[in-house]
Amino acid sequence: MIWNPEAECMSQEEKQELQLRRLQETVKRAYENVPYYNKRLNDLEVFPEDIETLDDIEKLPFTTKNDLRDAYPFGMFAVPDEDIVEVHTSSGTTGKPVVSGYTRRDLEIWSEVMARSLTMGMATKKDRIQNCYGYGLFTGGLGVHYGAQKIGATVIPISAGNTKRQIEIMQDFGTTIITCTPSYALYLAEVLEKEGVDIESLNLKSGIFGAEMWTEEMRNAIEERLGLTALNIYGLTEIIGPGVAQECTEKNGLHIFEDHFYPEIIDPKTEEKLPYGRKGELVLTTLTREGMPILRFRTKDITALRNDECGCGRTLVRMDRITGRSDDMLKIRGVIVFPSQIERALLKIKGLEPHYQIVVTRPEFLDELEVQVEASPKLFSDEVKHVEEARRMIEKHIHSEIGLRVNVTLVEPGSLPRSEGKSMRVIDKRKFD
Protein backbone atom coordinates (compact mmCIF):
# COMPACT_ATOMS: atom_id res chain seq x y z
CA MET A 1 0.00 0.00 0.00
CA ILE A 2 1.20 3.52 -0.87
CA TRP A 3 -0.22 6.46 1.08
CA ASN A 4 0.19 9.12 -1.62
CA PRO A 5 0.85 7.51 -5.02
CA GLU A 6 0.74 10.88 -6.81
CA ALA A 7 3.70 12.15 -4.80
CA GLU A 8 5.56 8.88 -4.20
CA CYS A 9 5.35 7.53 -7.75
CA MET A 10 5.68 10.64 -9.91
CA SER A 11 7.88 10.63 -13.00
CA GLN A 12 11.42 11.99 -12.89
CA GLU A 13 10.41 14.95 -15.05
CA GLU A 14 7.45 15.86 -12.86
CA LYS A 15 9.54 15.52 -9.72
CA GLN A 16 12.38 17.73 -10.95
CA GLU A 17 9.96 20.40 -12.16
CA LEU A 18 8.26 20.44 -8.74
CA GLN A 19 11.59 20.46 -6.88
CA LEU A 20 12.93 23.40 -8.88
CA ARG A 21 9.83 25.49 -8.29
CA ARG A 22 9.87 24.73 -4.58
CA LEU A 23 13.61 25.31 -4.31
CA GLN A 24 13.23 28.75 -5.89
CA GLU A 25 10.42 29.59 -3.44
CA THR A 26 12.48 28.36 -0.47
CA VAL A 27 15.58 30.38 -1.41
CA LYS A 28 13.42 33.49 -1.86
CA ARG A 29 11.72 32.92 1.52
CA ALA A 30 15.05 32.38 3.29
CA TYR A 31 16.71 35.39 1.62
CA GLU A 32 13.86 37.75 2.42
CA ASN A 33 13.00 36.58 5.93
CA VAL A 34 16.04 35.03 7.64
CA PRO A 35 18.85 37.53 8.41
CA TYR A 36 21.44 34.74 8.53
CA TYR A 37 20.68 33.60 4.96
CA ASN A 38 20.32 37.16 3.71
CA LYS A 39 23.86 37.94 4.86
CA ARG A 40 25.37 34.65 3.64
CA LEU A 41 23.82 34.97 0.18
CA ASN A 42 24.74 38.65 -0.13
CA ASP A 43 28.34 37.85 0.88
CA LEU A 44 28.46 35.19 -1.87
CA GLU A 45 26.66 37.51 -4.32
CA VAL A 46 24.06 34.80 -4.90
CA PHE A 47 20.44 35.92 -5.18
CA PRO A 48 17.12 34.06 -5.48
CA GLU A 49 16.86 34.81 -9.22
CA ASP A 50 20.18 33.00 -9.77
CA ILE A 51 18.51 29.64 -9.04
CA GLU A 52 17.45 28.70 -12.58
CA THR A 53 18.10 24.93 -12.51
CA LEU A 54 18.41 22.28 -9.81
CA ASP A 55 22.17 22.24 -10.37
CA ASP A 56 22.24 25.85 -9.19
CA ILE A 57 21.72 24.56 -5.66
CA GLU A 58 25.51 24.21 -5.57
CA LYS A 59 25.74 28.03 -5.57
CA LEU A 60 24.08 28.10 -2.16
CA PRO A 61 26.05 28.00 1.11
CA PHE A 62 26.05 25.01 3.42
CA THR A 63 24.32 25.26 6.79
CA THR A 64 25.87 23.53 9.80
CA LYS A 65 24.60 22.63 13.23
CA ASN A 66 26.85 25.34 14.68
CA ASP A 67 25.14 27.91 12.45
CA LEU A 68 21.80 26.85 13.89
CA ARG A 69 23.11 26.87 17.46
CA ASP A 70 24.47 30.38 16.97
CA ALA A 71 20.96 31.48 16.02
CA TYR A 72 19.49 30.08 19.28
CA PRO A 73 16.67 30.30 20.04
CA PHE A 74 14.60 31.83 17.23
CA GLY A 75 17.09 33.44 14.84
CA MET A 76 16.39 31.03 11.96
CA PHE A 77 12.63 31.52 11.91
CA ALA A 78 11.22 32.95 8.66
CA VAL A 79 7.77 33.93 9.97
CA PRO A 80 6.50 36.18 12.77
CA ASP A 81 6.47 34.62 16.24
CA GLU A 82 2.69 34.43 16.27
CA ASP A 83 2.74 32.10 13.25
CA ILE A 84 4.89 29.52 15.04
CA VAL A 85 2.52 27.05 16.70
CA GLU A 86 5.02 24.44 17.93
CA VAL A 87 8.72 24.21 18.74
CA HIS A 88 11.05 21.25 19.22
CA THR A 89 14.74 21.05 20.02
CA SER A 90 17.65 18.68 19.60
CA SER A 91 19.15 17.12 22.71
CA GLY A 92 21.79 19.83 23.17
CA THR A 93 24.24 17.31 24.65
CA THR A 94 27.21 18.96 22.90
CA GLY A 95 26.22 22.61 23.29
CA LYS A 96 23.17 24.80 22.84
CA PRO A 97 20.27 22.85 21.36
CA VAL A 98 18.96 23.48 17.87
CA VAL A 99 15.44 24.91 17.92
CA SER A 100 13.00 23.92 15.18
CA GLY A 101 9.85 26.00 14.68
CA TYR A 102 6.66 24.87 12.93
CA THR A 103 3.74 26.73 11.41
CA ARG A 104 0.35 25.01 11.07
CA ARG A 105 1.23 24.14 7.48
CA ASP A 106 4.57 22.70 8.61
CA LEU A 107 2.71 20.39 11.00
CA GLU A 108 0.45 19.31 8.12
CA ILE A 109 3.55 18.50 6.03
CA TRP A 110 5.06 16.57 8.96
CA SER A 111 1.84 14.61 9.39
CA GLU A 112 1.85 13.83 5.65
CA VAL A 113 5.42 12.53 5.44
CA MET A 114 4.92 10.50 8.62
CA ALA A 115 1.71 9.03 7.22
CA ARG A 116 3.73 7.94 4.18
CA SER A 117 6.42 6.50 6.46
CA LEU A 118 4.03 4.54 8.64
CA THR A 119 2.15 3.23 5.61
CA MET A 120 5.50 2.13 4.17
CA GLY A 121 5.99 0.37 7.50
CA MET A 122 2.81 -1.68 7.00
CA ALA A 123 0.44 0.60 8.97
CA THR A 124 -3.25 1.02 8.09
CA LYS A 125 -6.16 2.60 9.91
CA LYS A 126 -6.92 -0.83 11.38
CA ASP A 127 -3.61 -0.94 13.29
CA ARG A 128 -2.72 -0.17 16.89
CA ILE A 129 0.59 1.67 16.96
CA GLN A 130 2.47 1.60 20.28
CA ASN A 131 4.60 4.73 20.14
CA CYS A 132 7.60 4.31 22.46
CA TYR A 133 9.49 7.37 21.24
CA GLY A 134 9.74 10.14 23.80
CA TYR A 135 7.11 12.87 23.76
CA GLY A 136 8.10 16.46 24.46
CA LEU A 137 10.82 18.58 22.88
CA PHE A 138 12.26 15.49 21.16
CA THR A 139 10.62 15.20 17.72
CA GLY A 140 10.22 11.41 17.70
CA GLY A 141 7.07 10.94 19.74
CA LEU A 142 4.88 13.65 18.26
CA GLY A 143 6.09 12.99 14.70
CA VAL A 144 4.86 9.40 14.84
CA HIS A 145 1.72 10.53 16.66
CA TYR A 146 0.72 13.03 13.97
CA GLY A 147 1.32 10.55 11.16
CA ALA A 148 -0.62 7.77 12.84
CA GLN A 149 -3.58 10.09 13.43
CA LYS A 150 -3.54 11.18 9.78
CA ILE A 151 -3.76 7.55 8.69
CA GLY A 152 -6.57 6.96 11.17
CA ALA A 153 -4.71 4.29 13.10
CA THR A 154 -5.13 3.90 16.86
CA VAL A 155 -2.18 5.54 18.62
CA ILE A 156 -1.01 4.24 21.98
CA PRO A 157 1.05 7.25 23.21
CA ILE A 158 2.98 5.37 25.87
CA SER A 159 6.29 7.21 25.26
CA ALA A 160 9.62 5.77 26.44
CA GLY A 161 10.37 3.79 29.58
CA ASN A 162 8.45 1.59 32.04
CA THR A 163 9.29 -1.53 30.07
CA LYS A 164 7.11 -4.00 31.98
CA ARG A 165 4.14 -1.69 31.44
CA GLN A 166 5.03 -1.55 27.72
CA ILE A 167 4.79 -5.34 27.55
CA GLU A 168 1.53 -5.40 29.48
CA ILE A 169 0.05 -2.87 27.04
CA MET A 170 1.26 -4.94 24.06
CA GLN A 171 -0.54 -7.95 25.44
CA ASP A 172 -3.74 -6.27 26.63
CA PHE A 173 -4.24 -3.80 23.76
CA GLY A 174 -3.15 -6.11 20.93
CA THR A 175 -0.42 -3.79 19.64
CA THR A 176 0.35 -4.52 15.97
CA ILE A 177 3.12 -1.97 15.27
CA ILE A 178 5.79 -0.65 17.61
CA THR A 179 7.96 2.44 17.15
CA CYS A 180 11.15 3.02 19.16
CA THR A 181 14.94 2.96 18.89
CA PRO A 182 16.41 -0.37 17.73
CA SER A 183 18.44 -0.72 20.93
CA TYR A 184 15.25 -0.35 22.99
CA ALA A 185 13.54 -2.94 20.79
CA LEU A 186 16.27 -5.40 21.75
CA TYR A 187 15.86 -4.50 25.40
CA LEU A 188 12.12 -5.13 25.11
CA ALA A 189 12.92 -8.53 23.61
CA GLU A 190 15.27 -9.26 26.51
CA VAL A 191 12.59 -8.41 29.09
CA LEU A 192 9.97 -10.42 27.20
CA GLU A 193 12.24 -13.45 27.37
CA LYS A 194 12.95 -12.93 31.08
CA GLU A 195 9.22 -12.64 31.78
CA GLY A 196 8.55 -15.82 29.83
CA VAL A 197 6.25 -14.10 27.32
CA ASP A 198 5.82 -16.10 24.13
CA ILE A 199 6.16 -13.74 21.15
CA GLU A 200 3.60 -15.89 19.33
CA SER A 201 1.04 -14.61 21.83
CA LEU A 202 1.62 -11.02 20.67
CA ASN A 203 0.06 -9.39 17.61
CA LEU A 204 3.18 -7.50 16.48
CA LYS A 205 3.62 -7.42 12.71
CA SER A 206 6.14 -4.62 12.20
CA GLY A 207 8.42 -2.21 13.99
CA ILE A 208 9.64 1.18 12.78
CA PHE A 209 13.00 1.87 14.36
CA GLY A 210 15.25 4.93 14.15
CA ALA A 211 17.03 7.75 16.01
CA GLU A 212 20.30 5.79 16.09
CA MET A 213 22.52 3.82 13.71
CA TRP A 214 21.94 0.08 13.45
CA THR A 215 23.11 -2.77 11.28
CA GLU A 216 21.56 -5.52 9.18
CA GLU A 217 22.67 -8.01 11.80
CA MET A 218 20.81 -6.01 14.44
CA ARG A 219 17.71 -6.08 12.23
CA ASN A 220 17.95 -9.87 12.02
CA ALA A 221 18.24 -10.13 15.81
CA ILE A 222 15.19 -7.88 16.36
CA GLU A 223 13.08 -9.74 13.82
CA GLU A 224 13.97 -13.12 15.26
CA ARG A 225 13.40 -12.14 18.88
CA LEU A 226 10.25 -10.03 18.43
CA GLY A 227 8.68 -11.92 15.51
CA LEU A 228 8.05 -8.85 13.35
CA THR A 229 9.31 -7.02 10.27
CA ALA A 230 11.89 -4.42 11.35
CA LEU A 231 12.13 -1.29 9.18
CA ASN A 232 14.36 1.77 9.32
CA ILE A 233 13.15 5.37 9.59
CA TYR A 234 15.31 8.48 9.23
CA GLY A 235 14.85 12.06 10.26
CA LEU A 236 16.45 14.92 12.14
CA THR A 237 15.20 17.86 14.15
CA GLU A 238 16.95 20.40 11.93
CA ILE A 239 14.94 19.34 8.88
CA ILE A 240 11.56 18.36 10.36
CA GLY A 241 11.99 15.35 12.66
CA PRO A 242 11.25 11.72 11.72
CA GLY A 243 9.73 11.31 8.28
CA VAL A 244 12.53 12.54 6.04
CA ALA A 245 13.01 8.99 4.72
CA GLN A 246 11.59 5.53 5.36
CA GLU A 247 12.46 2.00 4.38
CA CYS A 248 9.82 -0.03 2.54
CA THR A 249 9.33 -3.79 2.91
CA GLU A 250 11.76 -4.40 0.04
CA LYS A 251 14.48 -3.49 2.60
CA ASN A 252 16.83 -2.04 -0.01
CA GLY A 253 17.24 1.51 1.24
CA LEU A 254 15.16 4.34 2.67
CA HIS A 255 12.96 6.36 0.31
CA ILE A 256 13.53 10.11 0.74
CA PHE A 257 10.39 12.23 0.33
CA GLU A 258 11.98 14.35 -2.38
CA ASP A 259 8.97 16.58 -2.92
CA HIS A 260 9.71 18.04 0.53
CA PHE A 261 13.45 17.42 1.07
CA TYR A 262 16.13 17.76 -1.60
CA PRO A 263 19.08 15.39 -1.00
CA GLU A 264 22.71 15.63 -2.08
CA ILE A 265 25.81 13.59 -1.27
CA ILE A 266 29.12 15.42 -0.86
CA ASP A 267 32.69 14.49 -0.08
CA PRO A 268 32.91 15.65 3.57
CA LYS A 269 36.47 16.94 3.09
CA THR A 270 36.36 18.60 -0.34
CA GLU A 271 32.62 19.43 -0.29
CA GLU A 272 32.46 18.18 -3.89
CA LYS A 273 29.06 16.85 -4.93
CA LEU A 274 29.14 13.09 -5.55
CA PRO A 275 27.09 11.01 -8.03
CA TYR A 276 24.56 8.29 -7.28
CA GLY A 277 26.13 5.24 -5.70
CA ARG A 278 29.10 7.07 -4.16
CA LYS A 279 29.26 7.12 -0.37
CA GLY A 280 29.64 10.49 1.33
CA GLU A 281 27.92 12.97 3.62
CA LEU A 282 24.19 13.54 3.24
CA VAL A 283 23.13 17.17 2.67
CA LEU A 284 19.45 18.14 2.85
CA THR A 285 17.50 21.23 1.79
CA THR A 286 13.90 21.76 2.89
CA LEU A 287 11.58 22.52 -0.02
CA THR A 288 8.32 23.31 1.77
CA ARG A 289 9.08 24.37 5.36
CA GLU A 290 7.50 27.76 6.16
CA GLY A 291 8.62 28.38 9.70
CA MET A 292 12.26 27.46 9.29
CA PRO A 293 13.58 26.91 5.74
CA ILE A 294 17.00 25.25 5.74
CA LEU A 295 19.47 25.42 2.84
CA ARG A 296 21.99 22.61 2.27
CA PHE A 297 22.19 21.31 5.82
CA ARG A 298 25.26 19.14 6.43
CA THR A 299 23.83 16.20 8.35
CA LYS A 300 27.26 14.56 8.97
CA ASP A 301 25.56 11.22 8.24
CA ILE A 302 27.48 8.94 5.88
CA THR A 303 25.41 7.21 3.18
CA ALA A 304 24.87 6.94 -0.60
CA LEU A 305 21.89 7.67 -2.85
CA ARG A 306 20.35 5.14 -5.25
CA ASN A 307 18.01 5.98 -8.12
CA ASP A 308 17.44 2.50 -9.56
CA GLU A 309 13.94 1.03 -9.60
CA CYS A 310 12.47 -0.27 -6.34
CA GLY A 311 10.14 -3.26 -6.27
CA CYS A 312 7.59 -1.34 -4.18
CA GLY A 313 6.74 0.91 -7.15
CA ARG A 314 7.85 4.18 -5.58
CA THR A 315 10.07 6.40 -7.75
CA LEU A 316 11.60 8.31 -4.84
CA VAL A 317 15.38 8.18 -4.55
CA ARG A 318 16.69 5.85 -1.83
CA MET A 319 19.45 6.37 0.71
CA ASP A 320 21.55 3.53 2.08
CA ARG A 321 21.49 2.69 5.76
CA ILE A 322 23.63 5.21 7.72
CA THR A 323 27.01 3.59 8.39
CA GLY A 324 28.59 6.35 10.45
CA ARG A 325 29.06 10.06 10.85
CA SER A 326 31.75 12.28 9.47
CA ASP A 327 32.12 13.97 12.86
CA ASP A 328 31.89 11.14 15.40
CA MET A 329 33.73 8.42 13.54
CA LEU A 330 36.63 7.04 15.53
CA LYS A 331 40.17 7.39 14.30
CA ILE A 332 42.24 4.71 16.02
CA ARG A 333 45.97 4.57 15.28
CA GLY A 334 45.31 6.21 11.92
CA VAL A 335 42.45 3.87 10.99
CA ILE A 336 38.89 5.18 10.64
CA VAL A 337 36.44 2.99 12.55
CA PHE A 338 32.67 3.27 12.80
CA PRO A 339 30.87 1.66 15.76
CA SER A 340 28.52 -0.02 13.28
CA GLN A 341 31.45 -2.08 11.97
CA ILE A 342 32.09 -3.48 15.44
CA GLU A 343 28.38 -4.14 15.95
CA ARG A 344 28.29 -6.03 12.65
CA ALA A 345 31.15 -8.26 13.76
CA LEU A 346 29.59 -8.94 17.17
CA LEU A 347 26.16 -9.83 15.89
CA LYS A 348 27.59 -12.53 13.64
CA ILE A 349 28.66 -14.49 16.74
CA LYS A 350 26.21 -16.77 18.54
CA GLY A 351 26.20 -16.72 22.32
CA LEU A 352 26.56 -12.95 22.65
CA GLU A 353 23.92 -10.55 23.86
CA PRO A 354 23.39 -7.54 21.51
CA HIS A 355 24.71 -5.15 24.15
CA TYR A 356 28.19 -3.70 23.98
CA GLN A 357 30.23 -0.60 24.74
CA ILE A 358 33.36 0.73 23.06
CA VAL A 359 35.95 2.41 25.28
CA VAL A 360 38.78 4.37 23.64
CA THR A 361 41.81 5.38 25.70
CA ARG A 362 45.34 6.69 25.11
CA PRO A 363 47.39 5.50 28.12
CA GLU A 364 50.63 6.85 26.66
CA PHE A 365 51.15 7.59 22.98
CA LEU A 366 49.01 4.97 21.22
CA ASP A 367 45.24 4.61 21.10
CA GLU A 368 43.76 1.54 22.75
CA LEU A 369 40.31 0.24 21.92
CA GLU A 370 38.41 -1.97 24.34
CA VAL A 371 35.09 -3.58 23.44
CA GLN A 372 32.99 -4.64 26.39
CA VAL A 373 30.49 -7.31 25.38
CA GLU A 374 27.76 -9.06 27.32
CA ALA A 375 28.01 -12.84 27.10
CA SER A 376 24.90 -14.99 27.26
CA PRO A 377 24.19 -16.58 30.68
CA LYS A 378 25.19 -19.98 29.30
CA LEU A 379 28.51 -18.78 27.89
CA PHE A 380 29.34 -16.88 31.06
CA SER A 381 28.69 -19.95 33.20
CA ASP A 382 30.96 -22.18 31.07
CA GLU A 383 34.46 -23.15 32.08
CA VAL A 384 37.07 -20.40 32.09
CA LYS A 385 38.87 -21.90 29.11
CA HIS A 386 35.70 -21.73 27.01
CA VAL A 387 35.15 -18.11 27.96
CA GLU A 388 38.74 -17.32 26.99
CA GLU A 389 38.28 -19.09 23.66
CA ALA A 390 35.14 -17.06 23.03
CA ARG A 391 36.95 -13.84 23.88
CA ARG A 392 39.77 -14.58 21.42
CA MET A 393 37.25 -15.52 18.73
CA ILE A 394 35.46 -12.17 19.18
CA GLU A 395 38.75 -10.29 18.94
CA LYS A 396 39.48 -12.16 15.72
CA HIS A 397 36.07 -11.29 14.23
CA ILE A 398 36.48 -7.60 15.06
CA HIS A 399 40.02 -7.56 13.70
CA SER A 400 38.75 -9.06 10.46
CA GLU A 401 36.03 -6.40 10.21
CA ILE A 402 38.01 -3.23 11.04
CA GLY A 403 41.64 -4.24 10.44
CA LEU A 404 42.70 -3.37 14.00
CA ARG A 405 43.47 -5.51 17.00
CA VAL A 406 41.26 -4.66 19.97
CA ASN A 407 40.90 -5.81 23.55
CA VAL A 408 37.64 -7.61 24.25
CA THR A 409 36.21 -7.87 27.76
CA LEU A 410 33.33 -10.26 28.35
CA VAL A 411 31.01 -8.93 31.03
CA GLU A 412 28.09 -10.47 32.87
CA PRO A 413 24.63 -10.49 31.28
CA GLY A 414 22.69 -7.34 32.16
CA SER A 415 25.75 -5.43 33.42
CA LEU A 416 26.00 -2.82 30.65
CA PRO A 417 23.67 0.19 30.86
CA ARG A 418 20.36 0.00 29.01
CA SER A 419 18.77 2.93 27.23
CA GLU A 420 15.16 3.80 26.51
CA GLY A 421 16.34 6.31 23.91
CA LYS A 422 19.59 6.54 21.97
CA SER A 423 22.14 4.13 23.38
CA MET A 424 25.60 5.35 24.41
CA ARG A 425 27.86 3.02 22.46
CA VAL A 426 31.18 4.87 22.62
CA ILE A 427 33.12 6.28 25.58
CA ASP A 428 36.15 8.20 24.33
CA LYS A 429 38.53 8.89 27.22
CA ARG A 430 41.35 10.29 25.11
CA LYS A 431 42.65 13.77 25.87
CA PHE A 432 43.54 15.77 22.75
CA ASP A 433 44.52 19.07 24.34
Side-chain angles (χ1 to χ4, degrees), residues 112 115 157 278 304 323 395 404 410:
E112 164 66 19
R278 287 276 302 278
T323 56
E395 287 181 344
L404 279 177
L410 290 174

Side-chain angles (χ1 to χ4, degrees), residues 323-343:
T323 56
R325 286 178 56 82
S326 62
D327 60 349
D328 68 0
M329 59 189 181
L330 297 169
K331 197 166 186 180
I332 310 295
R333 301 195 290 275
V335 177
I336 290 173
V337 176
F338 289 113
S340 59
Q341 293 175 289
I342 292 173
E343 180 180 293

Side-chain angles (χ1 to χ4, degrees), residues 28-56:
K28 188 172 188 292
R29 185 183 307 118
Y31 180 79
E32 293 178 350
N33 298 289
V34 182
Y36 167 80
Y37 283 127
N38 182 275
K39 182 178 186 310
R40 288 291 305 276
L41 291 168
N42 279 329
D43 288 348
L44 291 170
E45 296 185 349
V46 175
F47 306 102
E49 57 268 23
D50 294 329
I51 307 303
E52 299 177 332
T53 69
L54 284 174
D55 288 338
D56 289 332

Side-chain angles (χ1 to χ4, degrees), residues 331-334 360-363 365-369 430 432:
K331 197 166 186 180
I332 310 295
R333 301 195 290 275
V360 189
T361 57
R362 183 176 288 174
F365 304 109
L366 289 177
D367 296 331
E368 297 291 340
L369 191 124
R430 294 173 294 179
F432 294 101

Side-chain angles (χ1 to χ4, degrees), residues 130-134 138 140-141 144 159-161 166 178-189 207-214 218 222 226 228 230-233 355 418-425:
Q130 187 159 328
N131 186 12
C132 309
Y133 287 115
F138 173 60
V144 171
S159 194
Q166 299 271 6
I178 188 165
T179 64
C180 61
T181 62
S183 57
Y184 188 58
L186 281 173
Y187 181 54
L188 278 170
I208 298 173
F209 307 120
E212 63 187 15
M213 288 178 287
W214 53 306
M218 196 167 183
I222 292 171
L226 286 180
L228 48 68
L231 299 171
N232 202 347
I233 189 170
H355 302 288
R418 302 296 193 260
S419 173
E420 293 161 356
K422 295 186 181 183
S423 55
M424 181 66 72
R425 296 296 198 194

Side-chain angles (χ1 to χ4, degrees), residues 1 4 21 25 59 64 83-84 94 100 116 131 140 144 148 157 168 176 188 211 213 225 252 256 260 288 334:
M1 182 177 171
N4 187 341
R21 176 167 54 81
E25 292 168 353
K59 297 176 181 178
T64 67
D83 290 339
I84 296 290
T94 55
S100 189
R116 296 182 196 178
N131 186 12
V144 171
E168 185 179 290
T176 55
L188 278 170
M213 288 178 287
R225 296 175 71 175
N252 61 356
I256 298 175
H260 294 288
T288 51

